[in-house]
Amino acid sequence: MALRRIIGMNNLLIKYGKNNANVCSFGKARSLTTFSLPDLPYDYGALEPVISGEIMELHHKKHHNTYVTNFNKALEQLEAAMDKGDSPTVVKLQSAIKFNGGGHINHSIFWKNLAPVNEGGGEPPKGLLGDEIQKQFGSLEKLIQKMNTEGAALQGSGWVWLALDTEFKRLLVETTANQDPVVTKGSALVPVLGVDVWEHAYYLQYKNVKADYLKNIWRVMNWKYASEVYESAGHP
């Protein structure tokens, strides 16, 4: 079960988490390569005043980079343990791979979910995704309210997601703890849009008022990218 979860995460990494690096191959002859920190598609200060440049730089250069570093380290240790047939170490490494690999996946999605206002950030979704949001949630405002409510209620650190269930062809709002990617809530779920509700995503600017951060982040949400993900994933 744990290895199947890694395979599922690897599939997400292939789509969302790689930069110029090759990806790891599980279930075949192992070919271990390293993951790298992706560049942001905008400057650190481009999302101001919603998210400060200081937060973005720390979030990207420090937090995301740490997940990448520790993920690569855990994968190296996993390869060595598998070569030795060291089952206890393989099992022990699952939590580090899930946490750091999930951190890399989630942040790689998160950066693309955001866009400066002058590049379309905050513009409401159009087309198929906009129609489906209207159909399932009643309005974009009601969806945002639901995601904000669930994000604010999430205890500790985690994420709130808009996901497409490709099996039942419906949109869902899900939360995940820590750095768990949305695939841990169901293998058929594709992350359309995710909001980081860890304190490091907002505390320097919003202090302990997470609700204000959640309210404002929609002003720089990249619905165009979310629509592309939705349509490519197989909408209803």
PDB file of all heavy atoms in Angstrom, residues 43 79 131 174 200 204:
ATOM      1  N   ASP A  43       7.781  37.545 -10.717  1.00  0.00           N
ATOM      2  CA  ASP A  43       8.711  38.039  -9.708  1.00  0.00           C
ATOM      3  C   ASP A  43       8.120  37.859  -8.315  1.00  0.00           C
ATOM      4  O   ASP A  43       6.893  37.788  -8.147  1.00  0.00           O
ATOM      5  CB  ASP A  43       9.013  39.522  -9.943  1.00  0.00           C
ATOM      6  CG  ASP A  43       9.789  39.756 -11.234  1.00  0.00           C
ATOM      7  OD1 ASP A  43      10.483  38.819 -11.686  1.00  0.00           O
ATOM      8  OD2 ASP A  43       9.678  40.871 -11.791  1.00  0.00           O
ATOM      9  N   GLU A  79      16.576   4.202  -2.351  1.00  0.00           N
ATOM     10  CA  GLU A  79      17.247   3.385  -3.351  1.00  0.00           C
ATOM     11  C   GLU A  79      18.291   2.480  -2.704  1.00  0.00           C
ATOM     12  O   GLU A  79      18.371   1.284  -3.018  1.00  0.00           O
ATOM     13  CB  GLU A  79      17.915   4.265  -4.405  1.00  0.00           C
ATOM     14  CG  GLU A  79      18.571   3.441  -5.515  1.00  0.00           C
ATOM     15  CD  GLU A  79      19.346   4.303  -6.485  1.00  0.00           C
ATOM     16  OE1 GLU A  79      20.075   5.201  -6.029  1.00  0.00           O
ATOM     17  OE2 GLU A  79      19.226   4.066  -7.694  1.00  0.00           O
ATOM     18  N   ASP A 131     -18.814  27.083 -15.826  1.00  0.00           N
ATOM     19  CA  ASP A 131     -20.165  26.506 -15.902  1.00  0.00           C
ATOM     20  C   ASP A 131     -20.361  25.422 -14.846  1.00  0.00           C
ATOM     21  O   ASP A 131     -21.421  25.336 -14.213  1.00  0.00           O
ATOM     22  CB  ASP A 131     -20.405  25.909 -17.289  1.00  0.00           C
ATOM     23  CG  ASP A 131     -20.490  26.968 -18.383  1.00  0.00           C
ATOM     24  OD1 ASP A 131     -20.668  28.155 -18.048  1.00  0.00           O
ATOM     25  OD2 ASP A 131     -20.356  26.596 -19.565  1.00  0.00           O
ATOM     26  N   GLU A 174     -11.786  19.631  -0.878  1.00  0.00           N
ATOM     27  CA  GLU A 174     -11.127  18.721   0.059  1.00  0.00           C
ATOM     28  C   GLU A 174     -10.060  19.484   0.838  1.00  0.00           C
ATOM     29  O   GLU A 174      -9.509  20.474   0.359  1.00  0.00           O
ATOM     30  CB  GLU A 174     -10.449  17.567  -0.686  1.00  0.00           C
ATOM     31  CG  GLU A 174     -11.383  16.594  -1.364  1.00  0.00           C
ATOM     32  CD  GLU A 174     -12.009  15.591  -0.402  1.00  0.00           C
ATOM     33  OE1 GLU A 174     -11.652  15.619   0.803  1.00  0.00           O
ATOM     34  OE2 GLU A 174     -12.843  14.790  -0.842  1.00  0.00           O
ATOM     35  N   HIS A 200       3.429  29.660   7.298  1.00  0.00           N
ATOM     36  CA  HIS A 200       4.512  30.307   6.560  1.00  0.00           C
ATOM     37  C   HIS A 200       4.024  30.958   5.263  1.00  0.00           C
ATOM     38  O   HIS A 200       4.743  31.747   4.659  1.00  0.00           O
ATOM     39  CB  HIS A 200       5.668  29.332   6.285  1.00  0.00           C
ATOM     40  CG  HIS A 200       5.333  28.175   5.393  1.00  0.00           C
ATOM     41  ND1 HIS A 200       5.538  26.861   5.759  1.00  0.00           N
ATOM     42  CD2 HIS A 200       4.835  28.115   4.137  1.00  0.00           C
ATOM     43  CE1 HIS A 200       5.190  26.059   4.787  1.00  0.00           C
ATOM     44  NE2 HIS A 200       4.766  26.797   3.778  1.00  0.00           N
ATOM     45  N   LEU A 204       3.821  36.431   8.103  1.00  0.00           N
ATOM     46  CA  LEU A 204       4.591  37.674   8.121  1.00  0.00           C
ATOM     47  C   LEU A 204       3.737  38.888   7.764  1.00  0.00           C
ATOM     48  O   LEU A 204       4.014  40.005   8.202  1.00  0.00           O
ATOM     49  CB  LEU A 204       5.771  37.582   7.152  1.00  0.00           C
ATOM     50  CG  LEU A 204       6.961  36.740   7.585  1.00  0.00           C
ATOM     51  CD1 LEU A 204       7.996  36.687   6.465  1.00  0.00           C
ATOM     52  CD2 LEU A 204       7.602  37.320   8.845  1.00  0.00           C
TER      53      LEU A 204
END
